[in-house]
C-alpha cells in the first residue's frame, strides 16, 4: 500500500514496488493535472479533467416582470471520460488512506486470519463507500423530488439535462467502480476471490453507465439508493461479525431488506419501462436528441435488470442454504459432545464385591488354606 514506511525497499518498478507505492505514484499524476491550472496554455486541458463539462444554461419563465431566472444544467459527452479518469485517481488515493490509517490499525487489534483479513478490508472499503453514496443519494432524491412523484421517472423523457449534483454523483460512481478493477491487483486479492469481485464490479459499471448514457439517471438514482442501503447493512454486519462472531442479528435484518429491495427494484423497473415510457408521446430513437425510447431498448433494459435481480436472488438463496447447513452441523456437533458417555460398572453396596461376585482383598484363593505339615 501507499504511504507505508518499509524497512527494505523492493527493486524499482517491480511488482512489489508498484503495489507498495501505487498511491504515491497516483498522487503525483493528480498533482500534475492540478499544476496544469497554473499555466494558461495547459489550463483549458486541466479544467477538462477537474470540472464537470457540458454546461447548459436555461431560463425559467416567471410571472414577474423581472428578468427570467437562469438555471445551469449539464449533459454528458466524450469529455466526461477525462473527468472520470481524474476522480478515479482521487478515489485510489482515498482508498489507500482509509486502508492505511483505519482498516490496517483495526486489523492489528483483531488478529484476523488471512481469509478474514481480506474480507474485512473489502467490507471496510465498501461500507465506507455505500454509506457516503447512500447519504448523498438521499439528499439528491430529496432536493430533486424524485420520490414524491413517481411519474417524474418517465415524464419529459429524454432527460438530457442533469443538475450539477446528479451528474457529479454519476461521475463519482463510475470512477469508483472503475478504480475497483486495478485495486484487485494493488490489494493482492486472492485468486479464488477475484471472479466473485469481478462479477459485481462489472455489473455496477454496466448498470450505472447504462443509466447515465441512456438518460435514465432518474430511474438509476431511485434504484441505487435502496440497494446501497441493503449492501451497507450487509457489510456493516460482516464487520461486526469479524469483531465478535456472536453478533449475527444484522444478517437477519439484511436478509429481510434484501428481498424487499429486489421486489421494489422489479416493480419500479416494470412500471417505468412497461407502462411509463411506453405511453409517453416522445417515441423514437435519436442519438442526437438522446432519445432511446423504442421497444427494443426498453425490453433490453428491463431484461438486464430482471436477470440481474434473478442472479442476485440465486446467490442469496445459496448463501442462506450454506449458512443454514453450517449452523446445523455446529448444532449436531454440540449435541454429540453433550451426549452421555458409557457409564462405568458400579460397585456392589456390599464391601469387597463387584457385580455380585466376591472379590477378596488379597490375591489369595477364596478357599481355605491348608495348614502346613509340621
Amino acid at each position: 500500500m501507499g504511504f507505508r514506511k518499509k524497512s527494505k525497499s523492493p527493486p524499482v518498478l517491480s511488482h512489489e514496488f508498484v503495489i507498495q507505492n501505487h498511491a504515491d505514484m497516483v498522487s503525483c499524476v493528480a498533482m500534475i493535472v492540478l499544476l496544469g491550472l497554473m499555466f494558461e496554455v495547459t489550463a483549458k486541458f486541466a479544467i477538462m479533467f477537474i470540472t464537470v463539462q457540458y454546461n447548459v444554461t436555461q431560463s425559467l419563465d416567471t410571472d414577474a416582470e423581472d428578468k427570467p431566472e437562469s438555471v445551469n444544467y449539464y449533459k454528458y459527452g466524450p469529455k466526461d471520460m477525462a473527468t472520470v479518469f481524474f476522480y478515479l485517481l482521487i478515489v485510489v488515493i482515498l482508498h489507500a488512506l482509509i486502508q492505511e490509517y483505519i482498516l490496517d490499525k483495526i486489523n492489528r487489534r483483531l488478529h484476523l486470519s488471512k481469509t478474514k483479513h481480506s474480507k474485512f478490508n473489502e467490507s471496510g472499503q465498501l461500507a465506507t463507500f455505500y454509506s457516503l453514496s447512500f447519504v448523498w443519494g438521499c439528499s439528491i432524491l430529496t432536493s430533486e423530488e424524485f420520490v414524491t412523484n413517481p411519474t417524474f421517472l418517465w415524464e419529459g423523457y429524454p432527460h438530457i439535462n442533469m443538475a450539477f449534483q446528479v451528474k457529479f454523483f454519476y461521475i463519482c460512481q463510475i470512477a469508483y467502480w472503475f478504480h475497483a478493477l486495478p485495486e484487485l491487483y494493488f490489494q493482492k486479492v486472492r485468486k479464488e476471490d477475484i471472479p466473485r469481485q469481478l462479477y459485481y464490479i462489472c455489473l455496477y459499471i454496466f448498470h450505472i453507465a447504462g443509466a447515465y448514457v441512456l438518460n435514465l439517471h432518474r430511474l438509476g438514482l431511485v434504484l441505487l439508493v435502496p440497494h446501497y442501503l441493503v449492501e451497507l447493512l450487509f457489510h456493516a454486519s460482516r464487520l461486526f461479525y469479524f469483531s465478535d462472531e456472536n453478533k449475527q442479528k444484522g444478517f437477519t435484518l439484511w436478509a429481510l431488506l434484501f428481498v424487499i429491495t429486489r421486489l421494489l427494484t422489479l416493480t419500479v423497473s416494470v412500471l417505468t419501462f412497461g407502462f411509463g415510457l411506453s405511453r409517453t408521446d416522445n417515441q423514437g430513437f435519436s442519438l442526437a436528441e438522446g432519445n432511446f425510447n423504442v421497444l427494443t431498448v426498453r425490453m433490453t433494459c428491463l431484461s438486464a435488470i430482471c436477470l440481474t435481480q434473478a442472479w442476485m436472488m440465486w446467490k442469496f438463496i445459496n448463501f442462506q442454504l450454506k449458512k443454514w447447513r453450517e449452523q446445523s452441523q455446529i448444532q449436531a456437533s454440540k449435541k454429540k459432545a453433550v451426549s452421555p458417555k458409557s457409564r462405568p460398572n458400579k460397585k456392589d453396596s456390599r464391601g469387597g464385591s463387584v457385580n455380585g461376585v466376591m472379590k477378596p482383598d488379597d490375591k489369595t484363593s477364596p478357599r481355605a488354606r491348608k495348614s502346613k505339615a509340621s
Side-chain angles (χ1 to χ4, degrees):
M1 291 298 301
F3 306 109
R4 295 183 182 179
K5 296 180 180 179
K6 298 293 180 179
S7 57
K8 295 182 180 180
S9 58
V12 179
L13 298 181
S14 63
H15 289 286
E16 193 64 27
F17 178 85
V18 174
I19 291 173
Q20 291 181 9
N21 302 281
H22 73 275
D24 299 319
M25 293 185 288
V26 168
S27 62
C28 291
V29 176
M31 287 298 298
I32 292 174
V33 176
L34 292 174
L35 287 175
L37 295 173
M38 301 176 61
F39 305 97
E40 185 177 357
V41 178
T42 58
K44 58 181 180 179
F45 297 102
I47 291 176
M48 183 176 62
F49 287 88
I50 300 171
T51 61
V52 180
Q53 301 296 310
Y54 302 103
N55 183 16
V56 177
T57 303
Q58 290 186 352
S59 59
L60 297 178
D61 296 333
T62 56
D63 297 334
E65 296 180 356
D66 299 335
K67 294 182 179 180
E69 298 180 0
S70 60
V71 181
N72 292 327
Y73 291 104
Y74 295 85
K75 299 180 180 181
Y76 71 84
K79 293 182 181 179
D80 290 341
M81 292 187 289
T83 311
V84 169
F85 173 76
F86 176 76
Y87 286 100
L88 183 150
L89 302 178
I90 301 301
V91 173
V92 170
I93 298 171
L94 294 177
H95 187 116
L97 292 175
I98 295 172
Q99 184 68 41
E100 175 71 17
Y101 295 104
I102 299 177
L103 297 179
D104 284 350
K105 291 184 178 180
I106 299 175
N107 273 319
R108 295 190 192 102
R109 296 181 180 180
L110 296 179
H111 304 287
L112 300 175
S113 62
K114 290 184 178 180
T115 303
K116 290 185 177 180
H117 179 83
S118 177
K119 292 182 178 180
F120 183 87
N121 291 336
E122 178 189 2
S123 294
Q125 295 287 349
L126 289 176
T128 304
F129 168 72
Y130 286 139
S131 60
L132 295 176
S133 298
F134 174 73
V135 174
W136 191 2
C138 287
S139 65
I140 295 175
L141 292 178
T142 303
S143 60
E144 298 294 330
E145 298 181 355
F146 288 170
V147 179
T148 56
N149 186 13
T151 59
F152 201 58
L153 296 175
W154 57 81
E155 283 185 352
Y157 183 84
H159 307 136
I160 57 176
N161 295 327
M162 294 177 282
F164 171 79
Q165 57 180 348
V166 175
K167 177 165 183 175
F168 192 57
F169 176 83
Y170 273 92
I171 291 291
C172 293
Q173 293 293 314
I174 297 172
Y176 181 87
W177 291 114
F178 268 112
H179 115 282
L181 294 174
E183 285 295 341
L184 297 176
Y185 171 72
F186 295 145
Q187 295 294 324
K188 293 183 179 180
V189 177
R190 300 184 306 164
K191 291 183 179 180
E192 54 268 27
D193 291 337
I194 290 178
R196 175 183 59 84
Q197 296 190 26
L198 273 178
Y199 286 150
Y200 71 74
I201 291 172
C202 294
L203 283 175
Y204 274 117
I205 294 174
F206 174 75
H207 286 84
I208 295 175
Y212 184 72
V213 172
L214 297 177
N215 291 316
L216 296 170
H217 54 85
R218 297 180 182 180
L219 176 64
L221 192 60
V222 170
L223 297 181
L224 270 179
V225 170
H227 174 74
Y228 279 172
L229 174 62
V230 174
E231 293 300 310
L232 170 62
L233 182 59
F234 171 75
H235 289 285
S237 300
R238 194 157 75 162
L239 291 175
F240 285 114
Y241 173 77
F242 288 144
S243 62
D244 186 0
E245 294 186 354
N246 295 323
K247 297 179 180 179
Q248 300 185 16
K249 295 182 179 179
F251 290 108
T252 304
L253 179 60
W254 163 75
L256 177 62
L257 292 179
F258 183 90
V259 177
I260 294 175
T261 305
R262 302 286 73 80
L263 295 175
L264 177 64
T265 301
L266 291 174
T267 303
V268 175
S269 300
V270 172
L271 183 64
T272 302
F273 291 109
F275 298 96
L277 291 175
S278 61
R279 298 181 180 181
T280 57
D281 298 332
N282 193 4
Q283 301 282 336
F285 182 85
S286 175
L287 291 176
E289 298 178 358
N291 188 5
F292 304 93
N293 191 11
V294 291
L295 180 62
T296 304
V297 176
R298 292 198 303 268
M299 290 298 101
T300 302
C301 294
L302 183 59
S303 300
I305 294 175
C306 292
L307 289 175
T308 303
Q309 302 308 307
W311 179 77
M312 294 177 67
M313 281 300 301
W314 174 255
K315 301 289 288 185
F316 172 77
I317 293 172
N318 288 334
F319 174 79
Q320 294 298 328
L321 290 176
K322 182 180 178 181
K323 187 178 178 181
W324 176 76
R325 290 170 185 169
E326 292 177 353
Q327 291 179 351
S328 61
Q329 290 177 358
I330 293 173
Q331 291 177 358
S333 61
K334 288 182 179 180
K335 288 181 180 179
K336 290 181 180 179
V338 176
S339 61
K341 299 180 180 179
S342 59
R343 297 180 179 179
N345 296 329
K346 292 183 178 180
K347 289 185 177 181
D348 192 76
S349 57
R350 293 172 295 177
S353 65
V354 177
N355 295 332
V357 179
M358 294 297 297
K359 182 179 181 182
D361 294 335
D362 53 0
K363 297 181 180 180
T364 60
S365 175
R367 293 180 296 178
R369 297 179 182 179
K370 293 182 180 181
S371 60
K372 296 181 179 180
S374 55

